[in-house]
Amino acid sequence: MNPALASLLTPALRLFDPETAHGLALRALKLGLAGSANGSDPRFEVQAMGLTFRNPLGLAAGFDKNAEALIPLGRIGFGFVEAGTVTPRPQVGNPKPRLFRLTEDSAVINRLGFNNGGIDTYLINIERRPRDIPVGGNIGINKDNAVPERDYPALVRALARKVDYITINVSSPNTPGLRDLQSEQKLRGILAAIADQVPEHPPLLVKIAPDLSPEGVASVVETCVAGGAAGMIVSNTTLARPKLRSPQATQAGGLSGVPLMGPSTAMLKIAARQAAGRLVLIGVGGISSGADILTKLRAGASLVQLYSALAFEGPALIPRLLDELRAALDAQGFPTVEAAIGADL
Ligand SMILES: Cc1cc2nc3c(=O)[nH]c(=O)nc-3n(C[C@H](O)[C@H](O)[C@H](O)COP(=O)(O)O)c2cc1C
């Protein structure tokens, strides 16, 4: 099947509750039903963190928490894929329902709470990973009995030879206290513990919340630079509720999708100005067109990721966005993706 055909079936998934639909989508991917699309174009190539990306569009964390479907996900055209969040021990997450479609707003609210099979299962699954594109591992801590200075280094050690970069997730809103780890003191402690306990590791990225203040963002940037992180991912889901039309808008949890494009891009720009070339930035939040990708690149992102738009549109999204990115580069006079990075700064 090709991605366009697979995407025709995506509306049928809306007949199911969102979490069942997600499970079916993962199963369809594993069965090879999503087909393949060409994600390579010399104009799209990005060099970052010592890695080569065939295009700048990656799959954001949360879609494949257990690293079950990375090969088929790579085949639908992504430039890279990030699996997780994985925690040290398996965890069931919050009671259902905990995932909501805000169709009228092209948005999603989730309060999954790091449901995942734990690092042991993840390590078995990640052996079946694409070799032709970079793979990132996104790590977090359990809800109970967590010790961040012990758990993050342990996960970095476990993944060090399995993935091409590691994302330290300190920004999911659904694990009580997790976002407090973005404070200078806590984050410095985590990065120091990793440097101390696992001196040899792949590039580290810190993923932040869009609800930080501008001063908070600046502080994370400086802590990342001082602590030896390679970059930051901006951003995770938001607890804010901009004007929304959907009846599900009052659900508790993190909001993602189109309403997040503006706030997350504004924050990306703040991070880019503060970092001034010292960090690699990955822009995430609300991407649903090729023009959105270019907007994030211009705001300082070297790479971008998405999740929510894929849930709405299915695998045909990726070739569509790459075609639109080509057109947007032409329209705005950029010969290549790399030429557009930071153009608005
Ligand atoms: C259902 C769902 C689950 C998510 N789970 C995770 C997660 O486990 N770890 C993480 O770092 N981000 C997670 N995210 C956040 C996404 O990676 C991304 O940062 C956010 O959704 C914004 O991008 P988008 O607007 O393209 O969806 C999740 C998002 C959604 C919608």
Side-chain angles (χ1 to χ4, degrees):
M1 197 180 299
N2 69 33
L5 217 52
S7 269
L8 280 179
L9 296 176
T10 304
L13 287 176
R14 293 207 198 117
L15 298 171
F16 298 88
D17 74 89
E19 197 162 344
T20 305
H22 179 70
L24 290 170
L26 268 180
R27 253 205 261 176
L29 275 160
K30 286 206 263 186
L31 289 170
L33 295 178
S36 63
N38 182 8
S40 301
D41 180 334
R43 289 181 81 186
F44 287 164
E45 208 172 283
V46 175
Q47 307 284 338
M49 305 184 283
L51 302 166
T52 299
F53 296 80
R54 66 183 180 186
N55 73 60
L57 177 59
L59 174 69
F63 190 91
D64 191 357
K65 287 178 186 274
N66 297 311
E68 297 170 69
L70 297 178
I71 290 176
L73 282 165
R75 282 204 190 113
I76 64 176
F78 282 115
F80 64 112
V81 288
E82 186 170 315
T85 294
V86 61
T87 58
R89 284 166 282 116
Q91 188 165 278
V92 293
N94 289 320
K96 295 178 187 176
R98 53 194 184 174
L99 180 57
F100 307 90
R101 268 186 219 109
L102 280 61
T103 308
E104 296 86 343
D105 303 296
S106 302
V108 173
I109 290 177
N110 92 82
R111 52 169 180 269
L112 293 171
F114 287 169
N115 55 314
N116 79 103
I119 188 65
D120 293 344
T121 300
Y122 186 105
L123 286 172
I124 294 167
N125 292 343
I126 200 105
E127 293 299 331
R128 269 178 301 132
R129 54 154 281 179
R131 303 284 159 189
D132 55 340
I133 57 170
V135 172
N138 181 304
I139 60 176
I141 52 174
N142 286 104
K143 184 176 174 194
D144 298 317
N145 303 316
V147 181
E149 295 81 1
R150 172 197 69 194
D151 298 345
Y152 283 107
L155 292 168
V156 169
R157 176 175 292 122
L159 286 179
R161 290 169 195 282
K162 312 284 183 189
V163 295
D164 302 299
Y165 72 86
I166 293 175
T167 302
I168 300 168
N169 183 2
V170 283
S171 50
S172 285
N174 305 307
T175 295
L178 188 80
R179 287 180 163 203
D180 299 339
L181 302 178
Q182 294 173 111
S183 76
E184 187 186 334
Q185 188 206 353
K186 297 253 170 69
L187 186 56
R188 200 188 321 126
I190 292 167
L191 290 172
I194 293 170
D196 182 45
Q197 296 173 40
V198 199
E200 280 192 40
H201 55 70
L204 299 178
L205 299 173
V206 173
K207 184 167 179 180
I208 64 169
D211 305 323
L212 286 174
S213 66
E215 299 74 40
V217 179
S219 147
V220 173
V221 167
E222 294 308 323
T223 309
C224 282
V225 172
M232 286 165 56
I233 303 190
V234 185
S235 72
N236 215 310
T237 57
T238 182
L239 287 172
R241 292 292 181 270
K243 248 199 171 71
L244 298 166
R245 286 180 294 156
S246 164
Q248 301 281 25
T250 54
Q251 289 290 345
L255 174 74
S256 58
V258 168
L260 189 55
M261 177 69 194
S264 63
T265 307
M267 174 167 273
L268 169 67
K269 226 183 234 182
I270 294 171
R273 290 218 167 96
Q274 180 75 27
R278 295 174 295 167
L279 296 173
V280 171
L281 298 175
I282 301 186
V284 200
I287 290 176
S288 66
S289 72
D292 291 342
I293 298 176
L294 186 49
T295 300
K296 300 258 190 209
L297 296 169
R298 294 182 63 135
S302 295
L303 301 162
V304 301
Q305 294 175 324
L306 60 78
Y307 180 155
S308 299
L310 182 64
F312 281 106
E313 193 170 327
L317 172 76
I318 311 310
R320 170 172 78 80
L321 293 194
L322 294 177
D323 284 345
E324 289 177 4
L325 176 59
R326 224 169 264 123
L329 288 170
D330 286 341
Q332 297 179 36
F334 296 107
T336 62
V337 159
E338 287 201 328
I341 296 168
D344 285 348
L345 296 175

